Amino acid sequence: MAARHIARSIALQSLYEWDFMGKKENINEIVERNIKEFAPELDEKELTRRIALGVVAEADKLDAIINKAANDWTVDKMAIVDRNVLRIGIYELIFSNPQEVPPRVAMNEAIELSKGFGGQTSSKFINGILGSIYKELGEPYKDMFFDPKKDANQAK
């Protein structure tokens, strides 16, 4: 498993614990304990910290975005895993450097997390919500990663 995926998995597990405990536990302590327990040799520890701490710092904004995009669902009615996968995915879509984490990578990673940690329909649920948010954002930065003229010339 790739180091960055492991980093996101540990961030998700940390956010799950933080959320499950009523958002009252210290996220720094949870993250450090989980890194030590699950991946002490991980090269991407800073990514784990950045995602978990960033999600907690922006939780109200992320939840408002989820509530708007999830039509008939509200964050408080979602499974804890699903809402935290969505928080991670949206956090990376909006707050990460798109050259470090391209939007489609952020979305794909969230879907993969939901497959590994969520229920049977979690990945479809996550994909639908992130897809609508991505479209709402206007597919930011897509020209940075795909130049139709350049790619068409290379195909010839």
Side-chain angles (χ1 to χ4, degrees):
M1 192 178 302
R4 293 178 69 81
H5 185 75
I6 293 170
R8 288 180 178 94
S9 296
I10 295 170
L12 175 60
Q13 290 168 314
S14 300
L15 289 165
Y16 181 98
E17 181 178 342
W18 169 78
D19 197 353
F20 183 80
M21 301 301 282
K23 302 177 187 175
K24 295 177 181 161
E25 301 296 315
N26 183 313
I27 191 65
N28 287 310
E29 292 174 9
I30 296 170
V31 168
E32 294 308 318
R33 184 182 65 244
N34 286 339
I35 288 172
K36 185 177 180 181
E37 183 175 342
F38 298 117
E41 303 299 320
L42 182 66
D43 292 333
E44 295 288 345
K45 292 176 183 146
E46 190 53 40
L47 177 62
T48 301
R49 293 179 187 107
R50 185 172 57 238
I51 290 171
L53 299 178
V55 166
V56 169
E58 302 295 346
D60 291 341
K61 291 177 189 173
L62 297 170
D63 288 355
I65 293 167
I66 294 168
N67 285 333
K68 182 179 177 189
N71 295 333
D72 298 331
W73 286 88
T74 59
V75 171
D76 60 322
K77 291 182 182 177
M78 293 177 187
I80 296 173
V81 169
D82 292 350
R83 70 177 165 236
N84 283 292
V85 168
L86 283 169
R87 287 171 177 153
I88 290 171
I90 297 166
Y91 177 81
E92 289 201 295
L93 272 174
I94 295 174
F95 296 103
S96 289
N97 177 346
Q99 292 180 336
E100 181 184 338
V101 183
R104 292 190 187 263
V105 170
M107 292 170 52
N108 187 56
E109 281 292 322
I111 293 164
E112 290 303 313
L113 287 172
S114 70
K115 288 178 182 177
F117 293 95
Q120 288 183 330
T121 60
S122 291
S123 63
K124 290 180 182 179
F125 179 68
I126 301 298
N127 186 37
I129 292 174
L130 289 178
S132 66
I133 291 168
Y134 183 65
K135 288 177 185 172
E136 183 76 22
L137 291 172
E139 297 187 54
Y141 316 111
K142 73 177 183 180
D143 294 335
M144 186 183 305
F145 304 104
F146 174 71
D147 181 350
K149 293 177 187 175
K150 178 181 176 187
D151 290 342
N153 289 335
Q154 288 178 348
K156 290 182 181 180

